[in-house]
Amino acid sequence: MRTLQLHITGLVAGILALLLISGPALADGVSRGALLASMCETCHGTDGVGAKPMQSINGMDVKDFVDFMKAFVSREEASTMMYRHAEGYTDEEIQAMAEYFKDR
Ligand code: HEC
């Protein structure tokens, strides 16, 4: 029983330590952008540099990037994949991704 309690205490301490480490990183705009961007890099390539025929999304003007994402959501921009990928992000998250990819 005592061993179990020690394990649980260790687990809780570990989780708290993780939260302490990840908290400040997530509050940082660039790190948050990097985290969100990792979802996009599966298709668009590392740092958004796509292997043809996949479009690269690095170095894009922030406004163009945001406009693209909104146009995918509203279905104004033709898409096979991006409808579902553009949905589900807040304006602030899209902004963070735009700023991240702009500097890649
Ligand atoms: C499953 C693969 C896939 C993922 C994941 C993905 N995309 Fe795309 N993306 C595409 C495809 C394919 C296109 C071309 C338009 C279409 O057919 O949807 C595209 C087009 C785009 C464009 C327009 C580029 C241009 O110049 O025409 C932007 C911007 C973009 N994606 C951003 C993102 C962002 C941001 C994410 C992550 C939230 C993301 N994509 C995740 C496949 C993907």
Side-chain angles (χ1 to χ4, degrees):
M1 194 60 185
R2 181 150 175 79
T3 320
L4 181 66
Q5 276 176 344
L6 281 176
H7 278 295
I8 291 173
T9 310
L11 188 67
V12 170
I15 290 170
L16 283 177
L18 260 182
L19 286 175
L20 279 176
I21 294 165
S22 61
L26 289 179
D28 178 315
V30 175
S31 297
R32 185 170 168 71
L35 188 72
L36 293 164
S38 63
M39 303 296 292
C40 321
E41 292 178 338
T42 312
C43 288
H44 289 284
T46 303
D47 290 338
V49 183
K52 286 200 164 116
M54 181 52 70
Q55 288 95 329
S56 293
I57 56 171
N58 65 313
M60 198 182 277
D61 180 72
V62 168
K63 187 180 179 303
D64 290 347
F65 187 101
V66 171
D67 286 349
F68 254 121
M69 294 299 272
K70 291 198 169 151
F72 283 134
V73 174
S74 67
R75 306 288 201 264
E76 283 163 51
E77 182 70 32
S79 167
T80 56
M81 299 274 182
M82 283 306 298
Y83 291 148
R84 59 191 67 191
H85 288 290
E87 283 175 352
Y89 292 102
T90 65
D91 288 350
E92 182 261 326
E93 286 168 337
I94 289 175
Q95 183 74 22
M97 287 192 277
E99 284 167 17
Y100 175 81
F101 281 120
K102 174 176 72 77
D103 296 330
R104 301 299 115 187

